[in-house]
Amino acid sequence: MEPGRGARALPGREEAAGAAQGKGRVNFPFPYTPYSIQEDFMTKLYDVLEAGKVGIFESPTGTGKSLSLICGALSWLRDFEENKKQEEARLLADEHNEQDKQQQPTSCSAEASNCQGSAGELDWITEFMQKKEEQAMVDRLKEEQIRRKKREDRLEKIRHNVQLKYASKRKRLEDDETQRLLQLSKEILSTELGSDVLEQLDHEEEELILAEYESDEEKKVGLGLDEDDDDLEEEHVTKIYYCSRTHSQLAQFVHEVQKSPFGEEIRLVSLGSRQNLCVNEEVRHLGAVQLINDRCVEMQKNKHGKKSEGEESEGKKRRVSRAVCPFYSYEQMQFLRDEVLVKVKDIEQLVALGKETKACPYYGSRYAIPAAQLVVLPYQMLLHESTRCASGIKLKDQVVIIDEAHNLIDTITCIYSAEVRGSQLCCAHSQLLQYMERYRKRLKAKNLMYIKQILYLLERFVSMLGGNVNQNPNAQSISQAGTELKSINDFLFQSQIDNINLFKVQRYCEKSLISRKLFGFVERYGANSVVKTNKEKQKMAGLQNFLLTLHQGPDKEAAIQHHPVEVEDGQPKMASPLMQIEGFLSALTNANQDGRVILNRQGTVAQSSLKFLLLNPAVHFAKVLKECRAAIIAGGTMQPVSDFREQLLSCAIGADRVVEFSCGHVIPPDNILPIILCSGPSTQQLEFTYQKRDLPQMMDEMGRILGNLCNVVPGGVVCFFPSYEYEKQVYMHWERTGLLTRLATKKKIFQEPKRANQVEQVLAEYAKCIKRCSQEGGHVTGALLFSVVGGKMSEGINFSDDLGRCVVMVGMPYPNIKSPELQEKMAYLDKTMLRTAGQPPSKMLIENLCMKAVNQSIGRAIRHQKDFASILLVDHRYARPSVFNKLPQWIKERTEIKPTFGPAFAALRKFHHEKKSCYGSEAS
């Protein structure tokens, strides 16, 4: 019989298993002959995983980083599983031999025991304990083998048994027919009786109506029980968690896995958000992420939960419809889980499978986690602790790979920071107050107590912003506008909420689902619905008027009398603001030293906000590092890496456990020409500081540089400015001086739009122009694109081939040091970290943020082995050693520092002339 999937050998197992033990190189299966830098990358990756360390890996875009990660990590997993099986076999063989020995009579045993004495007794006890531990381990191994065999047989059956798939499909069709008949019955009943009759039935007549029927089998399935399946209890096999920033990046990674030598054998599962994986159209159309999440959880609860006493007594007076999700079928989700494990699927294929099998991909994929060898998931799902736990992710002794990690520190900071506006606080207070008034008689004492506590918290938060929670926030002006920072403890004391246990309030919000109840309440009474009593009708009308005021603003108050509370056409409905406030409450439970509260008072109470700023992301990342076996932090541009070491890793692990690896580029050394330009054509020193960059002579000098560049650089030139404001200022200055007109004779000029939905159109026109110019010839040789560092085009956009033959960086894009958040971060680092090379940590932070942004932008041009481009860093400060050393190694080792413009221009002209004659024009 053919072995199950888990028993199959991953590619190259025999060759690699032995190589891993000795000094010989590990065999890395690869779809083609790898570059030497890829072999070095995979070897170092293998060593880091084997040693259980934390690796910071840098591999420039275009060097095949994804494939190197896949083949290196999965080769290690292949060898790890093989070694583990060999060790299991040895232990089981030892146990078998021990049993044989015990059955053989020993003639000297009695004599030996008499000679041992008291020392022998201690040896006997030690030996007994060792044997007991070994036996426990053997028992665990046997149990694990049984589970593994069961899983392998099940997957093998699914792979080859077509009848099983037909049977599953037939059952789905039967379920659909049952559902259709049930719906038809309900429609007939509602037509005959009328919708209002249900509300008017008295208690005695209500007893005669059948309760909603659910068979024993449906109850068992609903509760997730199955006599023959214990996979929910299945141990997590050793696996690799791979995460990246976006779903598109994850999909690209999965496609690389499919094309790799491991594509047919690896058990991979893709995890995603409900917004990406939900196949229930009724839920999907809600639009807002929070609404989709809440509706899904509510439908789940309806399927699993029993009615409370309150609901049962309410049911005697009013029939309550409890919708359940037809895709949340445990049996079908089991089938989807196995299909996922049998063949690698990306998110789109997973959704298509969910629709076909009538199973929820969001939950079905989670059931596949224990048996999966490679789990692909977005950043937030891995880095946010509560999301990680809710998703069933267990990092204990597993491998974590975080790709595209150049913004990892900012990502963790954003995930654990929270902000609420004054309008949200007032809106939540009004909603919750109306909710409490309507259901006061039905709420238990504890519920009332916690609701009153939350109302008090909201009242105090608004008071801290200088407002009154009972008045319209749009109409309340702030007398003293400005920004104020406070420690968590100071904020709690000054807002007079230090006597409230926020941990208990937070737990209550989670367990009671109060924000979801509140949203349902507003959804029900926010529209034109019938409310029973006149008193209640007045309350609901007041709520509608208040909510409409918040939505429309103070200038539209007159419209209240004429329009119901409905969100404007085309605008997604927003979830209850209490949901966002819960996040702020959770943030306030951080340790006092790890964060700050920012009070931002602007114009009106509605425009003002409270923000929690996380200062120490390491405290949350430490939990990941302490659990996992090894971690890899990878990216195309990781320099400067000191931020990762000092702000993320230092408090969790020792410096000896951190390994750095940076590989070169696959392009020939002479295919890139990076130049640091210290002065312009008129010998003006180039220094684009805040004090000097606005000077007309500095902007004129930059214009002359670009004018000369456009004469010698073919195709596209991408020019990065430090900010949108400065780009606009320079553009207008050049327009006034006539420079733009002169530039347009050589290159058509494009500007990066501020709106994200316009970026694609601008890029398409830019590329089209370059292609047309290269084909037709003429005076206009390409296009000039003005972009912004940190904008839409500085990350994730490829300016390969003719799209980016020269990248120009105007000045150094230092962050705004007047920002209160940045000032607080700088003060925190100076207080908690040591000076490096005589520099305070705050200065290092500013320089690192600047160079990280520069490195991301200039890496846009070189995208493959035959690509070529020049890079011009226009500011003499780039030549300073502390700045120069923070460039990526593959750029730094080829960079030329030019004190004057003449030699720089000559080098650029020669470079592009030679490349044009060598490669010709390669328009993209």
Side-chain angles (χ1 to χ4, degrees):
M1 177 182 169
E2 185 183 354
R5 181 188 184 119
R8 290 185 181 182
L10 290 175
R13 172 173 281 170
E14 287 79 7
E15 298 91 327
Q21 307 300 324
K23 294 182 180 180
R25 293 179 70 84
V26 177
N27 172 49
F28 296 108
F30 217 74
Y32 53 82
T33 303
Y35 302 122
S36 60
I37 59 170
Q38 289 177 313
E39 289 184 339
D40 294 342
F41 185 105
M42 291 187 288
T43 302
K44 196 69 176 178
L45 177 67
Y46 190 104
D47 292 343
V48 169
L49 297 183
E50 185 64 24
K53 294 188 175 182
V54 175
I56 302 174
F57 279 68
E58 182 179 55
S59 179
T61 306
T63 56
K65 170 169 59 75
S66 295
L67 260 180
S68 300
L69 280 171
I70 291 164
C71 296
L74 294 183
S75 293
W76 173 83
L77 184 63
R78 165 203 67 194
D79 295 347
F80 178 83
E81 288 180 348
E82 179 63 26
N83 293 334
K84 187 178 177 182
K85 284 186 178 180
Q86 289 176 1
E87 182 64 17
E88 286 177 10
R90 186 188 66 76
L91 285 170
L92 293 173
D94 288 347
E95 191 228 5
H96 183 71
N97 293 335
E98 187 65 28
Q99 287 177 350
D100 289 346
K101 284 181 184 178
Q102 288 175 2
Q103 290 173 3
Q104 294 174 3
T106 53
S107 57
C108 324
S109 59
E111 186 180 339
S113 63
N114 291 333
C115 301
Q116 282 177 354
S118 60
E121 288 178 12
L122 289 174
D123 291 342
W124 179 85
I125 293 170
T126 304
E127 186 181 349
F128 174 78
M129 293 303 294
Q130 286 177 345
K131 284 185 177 179
K132 190 175 180 182
E133 288 174 8
E134 287 175 7
Q135 187 58 48
M137 184 184 289
V138 167
D139 290 343
R140 280 199 305 273
L141 289 176
K142 285 180 177 178
E143 190 177 334
E144 195 176 314
Q145 279 191 338
I146 292 169
R147 288 179 181 277
R148 188 165 60 223
K149 181 71 167 62
K150 183 178 179 182
R151 181 181 66 239
E152 291 166 1
D153 290 346
R154 186 183 72 237
L155 296 181
E156 196 63 28
K157 191 187 295 181
I158 288 170
R159 186 180 293 105
H160 298 295
N161 194 342
V162 181
Q163 289 183 346
L164 198 66
K165 294 185 180 181
Y166 281 131
S168 178
K169 189 173 182 180
R170 187 171 64 249
K171 187 176 188 311
R172 289 198 301 274
L173 292 173
E174 290 172 0
D175 291 344
D176 288 347
E177 181 64 15
T178 304
Q179 191 66 30
R180 191 184 67 79
L181 291 172
L182 185 62
Q183 185 62 33
L184 190 63
S185 303
K186 288 179 179 177
E187 288 172 4
I188 292 169
L189 282 171
S190 63
T191 305
E192 289 177 355
L193 298 174
S195 56
D196 290 331
V197 178
L198 291 175
E199 294 286 334
Q200 296 168 1
L201 294 178
D202 59 27
H203 169 68
E204 292 181 2
E205 203 166 0
E206 188 74 50
E207 293 287 330
L208 300 175
I209 297 175
L210 288 167
E212 183 151 357
Y213 178 75
E214 190 174 39
S215 69
D216 290 340
E217 183 185 356
E218 287 170 331
K219 285 178 183 174
K220 185 176 73 173
V221 169
L223 292 169
L225 302 174
D226 191 329
E227 293 171 6
D228 298 325
D229 199 292
D230 56 0
D231 286 305
L232 286 182
E233 303 298 325
E234 186 176 6
E235 295 251 349
H236 285 232
V237 303
T238 301
K239 66 178 89 290
I240 296 166
Y241 285 99
Y242 171 91
C243 65
S244 192
R245 285 187 305 149
T246 65
H247 282 286
S248 60
Q249 288 170 339
L250 294 172
Q252 190 177 346
F253 178 82
V254 172
H255 294 155
E256 292 285 348
V257 174
Q258 289 171 328
K259 292 186 291 183
S260 78
F262 297 89
E264 292 297 319
E265 302 300 329
I266 196 73
R267 297 192 300 275
L268 178 149
V269 59
S270 295
L271 301 182
S273 64
R274 287 183 177 90
Q275 193 177 32
N276 289 91
L277 290 175
C278 180
V279 290
N280 186 334
E281 290 303 324
E282 179 194 336
V283 177
R284 281 179 65 87
H285 89 277
L286 293 172
V289 179
Q290 192 66 57
L291 293 185
I292 292 173
N293 290 343
D294 297 333
R295 183 61 175 154
C296 174
V297 172
E298 190 71 29
M299 293 174 98
Q300 237 194 103
K301 197 179 175 203
N302 290 346
K303 191 173 184 78
H304 291 317
K306 294 180 179 179
K307 290 185 181 180
S308 64
E309 289 178 17
E311 282 179 311
E312 285 176 356
S313 61
E314 174 70 9
K316 293 175 182 177
K317 301 174 185 178
R318 177 173 56 86
R319 303 285 291 180
V320 182
S321 175
R322 293 159 58 97
V324 297
C325 181
F327 295 91
Y328 194 77
S329 159
Y330 181 68
E331 187 177 350
Q332 291 306 120
M333 287 190 293
Q334 277 185 306
F335 179 77
L336 182 138
R337 170 204 64 188
D338 293 340
E339 282 288 324
V340 165
L341 293 172
V342 162
K343 188 176 181 181
V344 174
K345 292 174 178 62
D346 64 17
I347 291 286
E348 288 183 6
Q349 293 165 328
L350 189 57
V351 169
L353 179 65
K355 290 177 180 177
E356 181 193 339
T357 59
K358 292 290 179 67
C360 175
Y362 179 74
Y363 286 103
S365 58
R366 290 184 179 196
Y367 288 140
I369 293 175
Q373 295 165 302
L374 179 58
V375 179
V376 179
L377 68 167
Y379 267 4
Q380 287 78 357
M381 203 170 278
L382 182 112
L383 297 174
H384 192 256
E385 187 179 13
S386 59
T387 305
R388 192 164 67 236
C389 296
S391 302
I393 295 166
K394 296 179 181 178
L395 298 182
K396 183 69 175 168
D397 297 329
Q398 309 292 17
V399 170
V400 171
I401 297 177
I402 302 174
D403 201 1
E404 301 297 331
H406 55 274
N407 284 334
L408 182 59
I409 295 171
D410 293 339
T411 300
I412 298 172
T413 301
C414 288
I415 287 173
Y416 285 97
S417 295
E419 184 173 16
V420 288
R421 297 189 309 278
S423 58
Q424 292 174 311
L425 294 167
C426 291
C427 181
H429 185 277
S430 176
Q431 290 178 1
L432 195 56
L433 191 63
Q434 298 288 346
Y435 178 87
M436 184 181 75
E437 289 300 322
R438 173 156 177 78
Y439 300 120
R440 181 184 288 273
K441 294 178 181 178
R442 299 175 185 275
L443 293 171
K444 301 289 184 184
K446 268 200 172 180
N447 280 320
L448 280 173
M449 179 192 76
Y450 277 113
I451 288 175
K452 286 179 179 179
Q453 281 191 345
I454 296 169
L455 287 169
Y456 176 72
L457 288 171
L458 297 173
E459 182 184 327
R460 296 311 306 160
F461 290 160
V462 174
S463 178
M464 287 295 284
L465 291 174
N468 186 326
V469 77
N470 296 313
Q471 295 176 16
N472 187 336
N474 289 299
Q476 295 184 69
S477 298
I478 299 292
S479 55
Q480 294 182 332
T483 302
E484 189 179 356
L485 284 96
K486 296 183 182 294
S487 69
I488 298 173
N489 286 349
D490 286 347
F491 176 77
L492 297 178
F493 282 121
Q494 290 176 29
S495 56
Q496 300 173 15
I497 60 172
D498 53 297
N499 59 333
I500 293 179
N501 188 327
L502 293 179
F503 289 96
K504 285 189 174 181
V505 174
Q506 181 194 357
R507 193 158 54 247
Y508 171 77
C509 289
E510 288 174 5
K511 300 294 183 185
S512 67
L513 304 178
I514 187 168
S515 58
R516 299 185 183 103
K517 301 288 185 188
L518 193 59
F519 173 73
F521 169 72
V522 175
E523 191 179 42
R524 179 178 178 82
Y525 291 113
N528 295 330
S529 53
V530 178
V531 186
K532 291 181 182 178
T533 68
N534 289 331
K535 188 177 180 181
E536 286 172 347
K537 192 178 291 184
Q538 289 169 5
K539 288 178 183 175
M540 292 306 113
L543 174 61
Q544 290 174 26
N545 292 349
F546 184 77
L547 293 179
L548 188 65
T549 305
L550 291 178
H551 179 69
Q552 294 178 329
D555 55 330
K556 297 188 179 178
E557 285 185 29
I560 293 172
Q561 299 172 3
H562 309 292
H563 301 284
V565 175
E566 286 291 339
V567 180
E568 294 174 13
D569 292 341
Q571 296 294 319
K573 288 186 292 184
M574 295 309 294
S576 167
L578 188 59
M579 294 168 186
Q580 195 151 346
I581 294 162
E582 283 180 22
F584 182 70
L585 290 174
S586 176
L588 291 179
T589 60
N590 275 277
N592 184 57
Q593 69 272 16
D594 291 335
R596 296 289 181 271
V597 179
I598 302 171
L599 287 77
N600 186 23
R601 302 184 181 97
Q602 299 292 331
T604 64
V605 170
Q607 295 168 327
S608 302
S609 66
L610 296 174
K611 181 177 181 179
F612 174 80
L613 174 68
L614 180 70
L615 295 175
N616 184 18
V619 72
H620 295 287
F621 195 57
K623 296 173 184 177
V624 174
L625 294 179
K626 286 175 181 175
E627 281 190 52
C628 66
R629 170 199 172 93
I632 303 296
I633 303 169
T637 308
M638 298 297 287
Q639 292 291 342
V641 297
S642 57
D643 279 359
F644 295 101
R645 278 185 171 274
E646 292 157 14
Q647 292 186 48
L648 270 190
L649 307 178
S650 58
C651 77
I653 56 175
D656 58 330
R657 201 185 154 200
V658 182
V659 176
E660 288 181 31
F661 176 83
S662 179
C663 67
H665 213 293
V666 293
I667 60 166
D670 59 353
N671 271 26
I672 181 174
L673 178 63
I675 290 176
I676 294 173
L677 187 59
C678 300
S679 61
S682 66
T683 69
Q684 169 78 46
Q685 188 186 48
L686 299 168
E687 185 177 322
F688 289 86
T689 58
Y690 286 111
Q691 295 79 19
K692 295 182 180 180
R693 70 184 190 181
D694 296 340
L695 297 173
Q697 60 263 37
M698 194 64 72
M699 292 188 278
D700 290 340
E701 194 74 339
M702 187 62 233
R704 284 189 282 270
I705 292 169
L706 272 183
N708 281 284
L709 272 179
C710 291
N711 286 329
V712 297
V713 177
V717 176
V718 184
C719 183
F720 283 102
F721 290 88
S723 67
Y724 284 104
E725 291 72 23
Y726 188 60
E727 186 263 342
K728 184 179 179 182
Q729 182 184 345
V730 172
Y731 188 91
M732 291 172 67
H733 177 78
W734 288 347
E735 205 169 32
R736 284 194 303 269
T737 60
L739 178 72
L740 276 184
T741 307
R742 294 196 295 275
L743 286 175
T745 61
K746 282 292 182 182
K747 305 280 185 188
K748 186 175 179 180
I749 298 170
F750 293 87
Q751 285 179 282
E752 176 180 325
K754 275 193 173 183
R755 289 189 175 183
N757 59 359
Q758 296 174 346
V759 171
E760 287 296 329
Q761 183 185 348
V762 172
L763 281 174
E765 290 175 3
Y766 171 75
K768 194 175 177 182
C769 172
I770 291 170
K771 189 172 183 179
R772 187 176 64 249
C773 291
S774 67
Q775 290 172 347
E776 296 175 0
H779 292 295
V780 180
T781 60
L784 173 60
L785 176 62
F786 294 151
S787 298
V788 176
V789 176
K792 312 291 183 299
M793 296 180 181
S794 63
E795 284 190 40
I797 305 293
N798 294 340
F799 294 109
S800 60
D801 300 318
D802 270 1
L803 294 183
R805 288 306 182 200
C806 183
V807 175
V808 182
M809 180 63 63
V810 180
M812 298 186 68
Y814 282 109
N816 179 14
I817 57 172
K818 293 182 180 178
S819 157
E821 289 96 330
L822 187 55
Q823 286 184 341
E824 196 64 25
K825 179 80 173 180
M826 290 163 66
Y828 172 80
L829 293 178
D830 283 342
K831 186 178 178 181
T832 58
M833 288 170 55
L834 300 172
R835 295 169 74 91
T836 306
Q839 286 191 324
S842 57
K843 187 177 179 183
M844 293 286 288
L845 171 71
I846 297 299
E847 209 164 73
N848 288 350
L849 288 172
C850 169
M851 291 310 295
K852 221 175 257 298
V854 168
N855 294 340
Q856 276 300 307
S857 299
I858 63 178
R860 300 296 95 205
I862 302 293
R863 313 308 283 180
H864 59 83
Q865 190 182 21
K866 292 184 179 180
D867 207 353
F868 66 89
S870 55
I871 297 170
L872 201 60
L873 302 175
V874 186
D875 199 304
H876 77 94
R877 291 174 293 170
Y878 282 108
R880 292 174 183 171
S882 64
V883 175
F884 182 78
N885 289 328
K886 286 171 182 170
L887 288 169
Q889 185 65 31
W890 66 279
I891 292 178
K892 181 171 63 178
E893 61 193 14
R894 304 170 194 186
T895 299
E896 300 176 13
I897 300 174
K898 301 292 185 182
T900 57
F901 181 74
F905 181 70
L908 283 164
R909 183 169 52 190
K910 182 185 176 186
F911 174 82
H912 285 287
H913 178 72
E914 289 177 352
K915 294 305 164 192
K916 190 174 182 181
S917 60
C918 180
Y919 289 100
S921 182
E922 296 182 17
S924 191

